[in-house]
Amino acid sequence: MAIASPSSITVRSYSSLSPVWSVKRVSQSQLRMMAVRSSNSYSLSVSTTSILTNLQNNCATPLPILRHVADSMADDMRAGLAVDGGSSLKMILSYVNSLPTGNEDGLFYALDLGGTNFRVLRLQLGGKSERVVDTEFEQVSIPKQLMSGTSEELFDFIASGLSKFVEKESERFSFPSGKKREIGFTFSFPVKQIAIDSGILIKWTKGFAVSGTRGKDVVVCLNEAMERKGLDMRVSALVNDSVGTLAGARYWDDNVMVAVILGTGTNACYVERMDAISKLHCQGDQVPISGSTIINTEWGAFSKGLPLTDFDKDMDDASINPGEQIFEKTISGMYLGEIVRRVLVKMAEVGNLFDESIPEKLSTPLVLRTPDLCAMQQDNSSDLKSVGSILSSKFEVQTNLSTRKTVVEVIDTIVKRGGRLAGAGIVGILQKMEEDSKGVIYGKRTVVAMDGGLYENYPQYREYLQDAVTELLGSDISKNVIIEHSKDGSGIGAALLAASNSKYINDYQKGEAIL
């Protein structure tokens, strides 16, 4: 079912930004009200009120804008499938043409590199009768300097953490002698996939700027680092985090057709018919027997029709990849707090938000994180005590109730925009699948598997996302679209794909067709 676009629509973008600092007309009675002072609070200045009003207007996501975003997402998907470079969406073939059957047996590992941390996981599989017998994982923080260091430094650090994890293997897990340990490598950055166990890095995102890796096979980089650390292990599957999430969720539920990551960064993948991938046929690549594959959209690069502000443009200009990953910078966890911080800076400078003072720490980029926003938005107390405590801790400033309320309104504005745009992106993917399959998607139970800390831990964000999906699809169709959290889906999915692509696997254990 296609979602019709409105006949006309006003869309804000970097090329046509609405003025954020325009002055709102205020009556004399309003001015008198703004001048009122009390022992616990003072009213906001006209400038601060104007900034907030303009922010809310420029970030608004009414149904026409959501429809435009969903339609544009579907159009860009088709263009990206037609030819490489056909749109902002890379639409990368994952080379995952079959998925685990449940017959897989043995001990397999996963390495999940997706942001400021990496996770290592082991998975004991017991075949059809036992499925997942046991799991164990650890999370390791990546030192900030390694995010802008050399390729060898980063991969040596990762291999070292992986080696320590393998050494601590408990008796709950069993690995037969004479075999090489196999690992699924979840690499959550854009790569040009060459095979299921090979991919060339296109670019770093999410704040990474590692030198010496672009244009190289990331599997080779990891294998070489593991060799340097004396670790006897091979990568048998290279997957994106969204692809891993889809594989992990599909292991338990055959109706999973889409997977979305909403954490530090964001991405989405879905099951696509091979005959819809025009660029594949032009390149003469061999078409899998299954007739379907998983497409990694790299939707963080999407940018059409997004309601953006000067704060977004300034943040983008200051980033390590200006002009890129605009959708990611609007909806993902790495950036929401920074957008809010920039709004508060302007309110402090122009509108005396913090009582004629500008906290020094407020000028520190990225000091305000998404967990801080979430904690403040969860504060239901009458005096917003938690909000005040967080602002005091972060910026060493004392606030009154009016200021705290304003901060919460700013947070809600940015988070609401992010969640609703993410929902529109999901509908764009479903809409493309529905139109091409002539009614198959919306007419049955279709599951969207979700993973990532932002989605998992931020209730308001989840609610705004679901609201947007329901508004766009309508109540009847949206009942068939199930959005489910898939905890640790990307890591478990990578280990399962390592199992289904193992070099030791018997023919009867090999993965089954996706559709």
Side-chain angles (χ1 to χ4, degrees), residues 6 34 103 107 149 195 198 218 262 281 382 473 511:
M34 289 174 182
N103 289 319
L107 180 61
S198 181
V218 294
L262 283 166
H281 301 282
S382 59
L473 295 180

Side-chain angles (χ1 to χ4, degrees), residues 160-215:
S160 178
L162 180 58
S163 179
K164 292 174 184 176
F165 181 69
V166 171
E167 288 173 2
K168 292 187 290 185
E169 199 163 271
S170 68
E171 294 181 356
R172 304 193 335 256
F173 299 88
S174 60
F175 187 79
S177 60
K179 289 186 177 181
K180 201 181 188 78
R181 282 179 166 82
E182 294 182 289
I183 186 169
F185 183 17
T186 302
F187 187 74
S188 306
F189 303 90
V191 298
K192 172 66 175 176
Q193 198 97 16
I194 299 171
I196 187 61
D197 59 354
S198 181
I200 305 300
L201 178 68
I202 297 173
K203 63 181 178 181
W204 289 102
T205 57
K206 307 177 194 177
F208 279 74
V210 178
S211 62
T213 317
R214 188 167 183 170

Side-chain angles (χ1 to χ4, degrees), residues 428-445:
I429 293 176
L430 294 171
Q431 178 179 319
K432 191 271 179 194
M433 297 174 72
E434 168 73 3
E435 291 169 351
D436 289 359
S437 65
K438 297 178 175 59
V440 171
I441 298 299
Y442 291 161
K444 66 180 182 66
R445 180 176 180 271

Side-chain angles (χ1 to χ4, degrees), residues 61 65-66 69 306-307 327 330-331 416-425:
T61 50
I65 284 183
L66 294 181
V69 169
L306 304 178
F327 195 47
T330 311
I331 72 171
K416 183 176 184 178
R417 178 185 67 169
R420 287 174 64 80
L421 289 177

Side-chain angles (χ1 to χ4, degrees), residues 32-295:
R32 284 193 294 272
M33 299 248 333
M34 289 174 182
V36 173
R37 296 288 189 274
S38 70
S39 58
N40 347 349
S41 65
Y42 59 87
S43 297
L44 297 173
S45 71
V46 178
S47 296
T48 299
T49 303
S50 298
I51 293 169
L52 178 59
T53 300
N54 277 284
L55 179 74
Q56 292 170 331
N57 290 338
N58 293 340
C59 289
T61 50
L63 190 55
I65 284 183
L66 294 181
R67 281 179 174 159
H68 183 77
V69 169
D71 289 344
S72 297
M73 180 70 74
D75 290 343
D76 271 14
M77 289 170 67
R78 291 192 180 89
L81 290 173
V83 61
D84 280 336
S87 80
S88 60
L89 303 185
K90 296 291 185 183
M91 304 300 287
I92 300 169
L93 273 74
S94 66
Y95 288 83
V96 175
N97 306 316
S98 61
L99 291 168
T101 63
N103 289 319
E104 293 79 16
D105 193 0
L107 180 61
F108 297 91
Y109 294 80
L111 168 64
D112 190 344
L113 176 62
T116 53
N117 305 298
F118 73 86
R119 290 163 58 89
V120 286
L121 174 145
R122 53 179 140 250
L123 187 69
Q124 188 79 53
L125 300 173
K128 209 74 168 178
S129 60
E130 296 182 273
R131 292 274 179 152
V132 176
V133 178
D134 208 343
T135 61
E136 192 172 56
F137 73 89
E138 285 185 4
Q139 183 164 295
V140 181
S141 296
I142 298 175
K144 191 170 183 179
Q145 65 269 23
L146 292 185
M147 295 174 64
S148 57
T150 67
S151 174
E152 188 169 305
E153 289 170 340
L154 175 63
F155 281 97
D156 277 356
F157 179 79
I158 293 170
S160 178
L162 180 58
S163 179
K164 292 174 184 176
F165 181 69
V166 171
E167 288 173 2
K168 292 187 290 185
E169 199 163 271
S170 68
E171 294 181 356
R172 304 193 335 256
F173 299 88
S174 60
F175 187 79
S177 60
K179 289 186 177 181
K180 201 181 188 78
R181 282 179 166 82
E182 294 182 289
I183 186 169
F185 183 17
T186 302
F187 187 74
S188 306
F189 303 90
V191 298
K192 172 66 175 176
Q193 198 97 16
I194 299 171
I196 187 61
D197 59 354
S198 181
I200 305 300
L201 178 68
I202 297 173
K203 63 181 178 181
W204 289 102
T205 57
K206 307 177 194 177
F208 279 74
V210 178
S211 62
T213 317
R214 188 167 183 170
K216 290 187 177 181
D217 190 330
V218 294
V219 172
V220 171
C221 293
L222 179 58
N223 282 336
E224 289 176 348
M226 289 192 296
E227 288 177 12
R228 288 192 293 268
K229 298 299 178 182
L231 185 57
D232 190 24
M233 182 176 279
R234 70 178 289 268
V235 175
S236 55
L238 171 68
V239 297
N240 183 271
D241 51 358
S242 60
V243 175
T245 297
L246 196 153
R250 187 69 172 261
Y251 186 70
W252 304 104
D253 188 339
D254 291 338
N255 291 317
V256 175
M257 300 295 289
V258 179
V260 176
I261 303 295
L262 283 166
T264 302
T266 184
N267 197 14
C269 71
Y270 70 105
V271 177
E272 181 60 276
R273 298 180 357 259
M274 299 303 300
D275 59 9
I277 310 173
S278 302
K279 64 182 178 182
L280 177 62
H281 301 282
C282 294
Q283 295 165 358
D285 291 356
Q286 186 175 357
V287 177
I289 296 174
S290 70
S292 299
T293 190
I294 298 175
I295 292 292

